[in-house]
Amino acid sequence: MSTDTETHPGTDPAESTGRAPKRSLWSRLPVIHQLRQSVGLQRGMLVAGLVITGVFVLVAIFAPVIAPYGYSQLSGPGGQFGSQNPPSAAHIWGTTVGGYDVFSRTIWGAQTALLVIIVAVILSIFAGVVLGLVSGYFGGWLDRVLVVICDAIYAFPSLLLAIIVAIVVSGGQSSLWGGILAAAISITVVFIPQYFRVIRAEAVRIKSEAYVESAKVVGASNTRIMFRHVLRNSTRTLPLIFTLNSSEAILTLAGLGFLGFGIEPTAAAEWGYDLNKALSDVTSGIWWTSVFPGVAIVLVVLGITLVGESLNDLADPRLRGRRRAAAASGLVAETSVVPGGPLSAGPAGLDGLEGGESFDDHGIEVKP
């Protein structure tokens, strides 16, 4: 005689015991997990974004190998490059009005953009998370002061604020790391209120949970509660903000360079600066000096935005697509909600309710 716990040949032991099978470490990685969850157009958007972002990161890392010339190089074995030369075998994307190789400047610009993103987002996360955690957990006058300051910063025009901070930090001088830090810090000031608001709201909600109260009862310190219980449960949306802010960082960096507050061409390559110098070329029919830096900005921002929006959809249960929706709904329909009733359901409802039986408001069966 078979028992309820007996497993049949060909069945999964996890299914027979009612437990979900344990996922491998590879499938639990953040991006891999979301990629397995996605379906249809959502998966296509995520894959396209990951491919574009991956190419951007690889180009930035291997820029010294890919670029044929330096970002500030004006001459080669054949002499001076020349100004505004069209695409040729020596310069596949032509040269700029300043005599720089467009292809090399575009490749080196990816490295500058990646460095600014890393520095700016790390500084923003660190400052915004710490301030939001302290403000939301302790509350009081400190919370009110920080909220007012962050709201004032958030209400200020972001690009204008970045220009002011860039001027104060760089002091008119832009070396390689000096310019990168100036741009990164100016972007950091703009992004801190976003992380502050998210973490503060989560901290205010989580600090009233039962497990936090229990930790206080057993004598845990405020520092341990903040970082072990509150912080660990309030950072679920940070990857989404990280991806979206990365694309905003590139646009802010390009805006600073376009307005003349970015990095000097002799210090590093920057797409916004190259677009600024190519303005006069457009009216003269010289298209190559502006098209390639502009396309680079568009593609990188598009790729990172696709990743961020896809992760946002997958994190929202109302928008997340299910891979096996039909099968899942069938499994749910096979489960009876009537104690002692049959375990099969048809289009008209449970078989136990199709024979004319009816129930009153208290769940007691009433014979016809």
Side-chain angles (χ1 to χ4, degrees):
M1 180 182 295
S2 62
T3 60
D4 294 338
T5 58
E6 181 181 357
T7 58
H8 298 280
T11 61
D12 190 354
E15 294 179 359
S16 62
T17 57
R19 294 192 304 266
K22 186 177 181 180
R23 294 182 300 165
S24 63
L25 179 61
W26 171 258
S27 63
R28 284 181 289 171
L29 293 176
V31 177
I32 302 300
H33 177 61
Q34 274 80 16
L35 187 60
R36 292 167 62 91
Q37 275 187 318
S38 61
V39 293
L41 179 61
Q42 192 178 68
R43 170 171 289 187
M45 292 173 56
L46 181 57
V47 170
L50 290 175
V51 169
I52 296 175
T53 306
V55 171
F56 162 66
V57 173
L58 291 177
V59 168
I61 294 175
F62 296 102
V65 179
I66 300 174
Y69 307 105
Y71 53 81
S72 60
Q73 188 173 345
L74 295 174
S75 62
Q80 295 289 327
F81 292 158
S83 176
Q84 299 174 328
N85 290 332
S88 61
H91 306 282
I92 58 175
W93 288 356
T95 60
T96 67
V97 65
Y100 301 108
D101 181 68
V102 175
F103 178 73
S104 300
R105 292 279 301 178
T106 304
I107 297 299
W108 283 102
Q111 188 178 80
T112 304
L114 181 62
L115 290 174
V116 170
I117 288 175
I118 293 174
V119 177
V121 173
I122 288 178
L123 292 177
S124 301
I125 290 177
F126 179 78
V129 167
V130 172
L131 292 176
L133 190 62
V134 172
S135 177
Y137 183 78
F138 290 106
W141 66 268
L142 179 62
D143 178 46
R144 292 193 293 270
V145 171
L146 291 176
V147 168
V148 170
I149 293 175
C150 287
D151 286 346
I153 295 176
Y154 199 80
F156 206 79
S158 58
L159 185 57
L160 181 58
L161 180 62
I163 291 173
I164 296 174
V165 176
I167 295 174
V168 173
V169 173
S170 64
Q173 302 294 326
S174 294
S175 60
L176 173 59
W177 283 105
I180 290 176
L181 287 176
I185 292 174
S186 63
I187 295 171
T188 298
V189 175
V190 176
F191 288 165
I192 284 178
Q194 301 181 24
Y195 294 98
F196 172 83
R197 284 184 168 188
V198 173
I199 299 300
R200 178 188 173 275
E202 290 293 320
V204 170
R205 179 184 64 85
I206 293 172
K207 72 177 183 180
S208 59
E209 296 289 340
Y211 59 87
V212 176
E213 297 295 334
S214 301
K216 293 179 181 179
V217 170
V218 299
S221 63
N222 288 328
T223 303
R224 179 180 177 83
I225 295 174
M226 285 171 57
F227 289 96
R228 185 170 181 83
H229 299 288
V230 179
L231 179 61
R232 290 179 60 182
N233 293 281
S234 60
T235 57
R236 292 174 298 175
T237 57
L238 286 186
L240 311 179
I241 306 176
F242 167 80
T243 53
L244 297 177
N245 282 354
S246 298
S247 60
E248 293 180 18
I250 293 179
L251 294 176
T252 304
L253 176 65
L256 290 173
F258 185 81
L259 296 175
F261 298 98
I263 304 172
E264 296 295 328
T266 56
E270 202 276 305
W271 294 328
Y273 177 88
D274 293 340
L275 286 177
N276 175 270
K277 296 302 179 182
L279 283 177
S280 59
D281 298 341
V282 177
T283 58
S284 303
I286 302 174
W287 53 269
W288 55 87
T289 57
S290 60
V291 167
F292 297 110
V295 170
I297 295 174
V298 172
L299 287 179
V300 174
V301 172
L302 176 63
I304 298 177
T305 303
L306 286 177
V307 174
E309 291 295 336
S310 300
L311 294 178
N312 186 32
D313 291 348
L314 291 171
D316 191 343
R318 297 170 299 178
L319 302 176
R320 184 169 58 237
R322 302 293 184 179
R323 175 177 295 180
R324 298 173 181 173
S329 61
L331 292 175
V332 172
E334 291 177 1
T335 304
S336 174
V337 296
V338 179
L343 297 179
S344 60
L350 294 170
D351 292 342
L353 300 180
E354 291 179 351
E357 295 86 350
S358 60
F359 296 85
D360 61 10
D361 295 336
H362 303 285
I364 300 176
E365 183 178 355
V366 178
K367 296 295 183 179

